[in-house]
Amino acid sequence: MPKGKGPQGKRISLKVAKNSVRVLFNGRRRLELSKMGIAVFPKCLLELADVEEIDLSRNLLRKIPNIIEKFQNLMWLDLHSNQIDELPPEIGTLQNLTFLNLCNNKLTTKGLPEELTRLKNLRTLNLGLNCLETIPTTLGTLKELIELGLFDNSLTIIPKSVKKLPKLERMNVKRNPLPEFAKEEEPIDTVKRIESLYLVEKKDLCNSCLQTCQGERDELHRLEDMTPAPPEKPNFSSLTTPNSTAIDNQEEWRMK
């Protein structure tokens, strides 16, 4: 068993890291180390500190070291699905960062440093699926923020300063114990209602229609007054036998 607390994870060599750099269509270089079983931020990555994007998602990381400040060209950082419980204050030095994904970690409110608000160019911030009970009101200083993910936390309030961010277009706060989601929904009416009802006078009905309506009404009243008993078919004697007319004229219906 290796010394030290927690899982040691897979060790990443500089050679492996260099082979994991991809050049994107926009010309940026992305270091792709997702799903590598990494538990400790590899120090060898300092040799690639000039990359613009890093993907360390789906690993076993618990901490992001303060050497993250060496990645001053970083514009895109994906750390989702790790075990991170706090961020270093040095994260605030990444002034070029526009995208930060911290979804599905173990971040608490205490684990969010005040320096996070120094990311003035940040446009997308995902803090969903964490252990946040409150959101710092200082996040309202991220004036360039367009997307904010806060879903699946323990939030009971969203600060007004965050709600009123000038460029915010999408904010996902689903599955939080927020008061606006605690309102009891109105019960769904499962009974089919009549949308339109047309009334006519007896004098406006022909004798045949009038007899049919009266017969059906009388039969309905009879069924309502009956004590529970084996069901029996109602008899509407005034109705024409089905298809009787068609039988008399069946020659006219046949295809020649």
Side-chain angles (χ1 to χ4, degrees):
M1 184 76 167
K3 295 181 180 180
K5 297 181 179 179
Q8 296 300 305
K10 182 178 178 180
R11 291 184 178 276
I12 301 298
S13 65
L14 179 59
K15 181 179 179 180
V16 171
K18 286 182 176 179
N19 290 335
S20 300
V21 176
R22 304 285 183 269
V23 179
L24 307 179
F25 288 112
N26 56 14
R28 294 183 189 174
R29 292 160 300 160
R30 177 180 294 181
L31 179 56
E32 296 183 350
L33 294 174
S34 180
K35 296 184 287 187
M36 297 287 284
I38 302 171
V40 179
F41 192 91
K43 291 184 178 181
C44 67
L45 299 188
L46 288 174
E47 298 292 329
L48 302 170
D50 58 344
V51 295
E52 291 84 12
E53 302 189 2
I54 295 180
D55 183 358
L56 278 166
S57 64
R58 299 184 178 93
N59 281 294
L60 304 170
L61 293 170
R62 295 179 60 87
K63 304 289 182 184
I64 299 299
N66 55 14
I67 59 174
I68 193 69
E69 65 182 354
K70 301 295 183 181
F71 296 79
Q72 286 301 305
N73 290 338
L74 208 57
M75 302 176 68
W76 191 94
L77 179 58
D78 193 345
L79 298 169
H80 86 267
S81 302
N82 278 281
Q83 300 177 26
I84 301 169
D85 55 11
E86 65 175 346
L87 297 173
E90 288 78 9
I91 193 90
T93 65
L94 305 179
Q95 294 296 299
N96 291 315
L97 203 63
T98 62
F99 176 94
L100 179 57
N101 189 355
L102 294 161
C103 174
N104 193 22
N105 277 284
K106 297 182 178 181
L107 286 169
T108 61
T109 304
K110 187 181 295 185
L112 297 179
E114 185 178 350
E115 288 78 4
L116 193 65
T117 60
R118 295 173 58 187
L119 302 176
K120 301 301 183 182
N121 291 309
L122 200 61
R123 297 180 181 178
T124 299
L125 175 60
N126 193 344
L127 295 170
L129 277 168
N130 277 285
C131 308
L132 302 174
E133 296 183 350
T134 58
I135 291 295
T137 57
T138 50
L139 285 187
T141 62
L142 301 177
K143 303 300 183 181
E144 296 298 316
L145 208 58
I146 297 175
E147 296 180 285
L148 178 59
L150 299 173
F151 54 92
D152 291 286
N153 278 286
S154 301
L155 303 175
T156 56
I157 189 172
I158 304 297
K160 291 183 179 180
S161 60
V162 175
K163 290 181 178 180
K164 295 182 178 181
L165 282 167
K167 296 187 179 180
L168 192 63
E169 296 179 2
R170 290 175 292 276
M171 181 170 64
N172 189 344
V173 296
K174 293 181 179 179
R175 294 176 296 278
N176 277 284
L178 294 165
E180 51 261 46
F181 293 124
K183 294 179 181 179
E184 184 178 354
E185 295 183 358
E186 294 183 3
I188 299 175
D189 189 354
T190 57
V191 180
K192 187 176 181 180
R193 304 298 177 180
I194 298 176
E195 296 181 356
S196 301
L197 178 64
Y198 299 93
L199 301 177
V200 295
E201 296 184 9
K202 291 183 179 180
K203 64 183 180 63
D204 296 324
L205 294 173
C206 63
N207 290 333
S208 177
C209 294
L210 181 59
Q211 290 177 5
T212 300
C213 292
Q214 290 176 336
E216 291 179 351
R217 182 192 61 188
D218 295 338
E219 186 65 19
L220 181 61
H221 290 164
R222 185 181 70 81
L223 291 173
E224 290 176 347
D225 296 334
M226 287 177 60
T227 56
E232 61 181 51
K233 293 183 178 181
N235 181 23
F236 301 105
S237 57
S238 60
L239 294 179
T240 304
T241 303
N243 294 329
S244 58
T245 304
I247 293 175
D248 295 337
N249 302 291
Q250 58 184 324
E251 293 296 330
E252 299 180 8
W253 293 85
R254 290 178 179 173
M255 297 293 293
K256 297 183 179 181

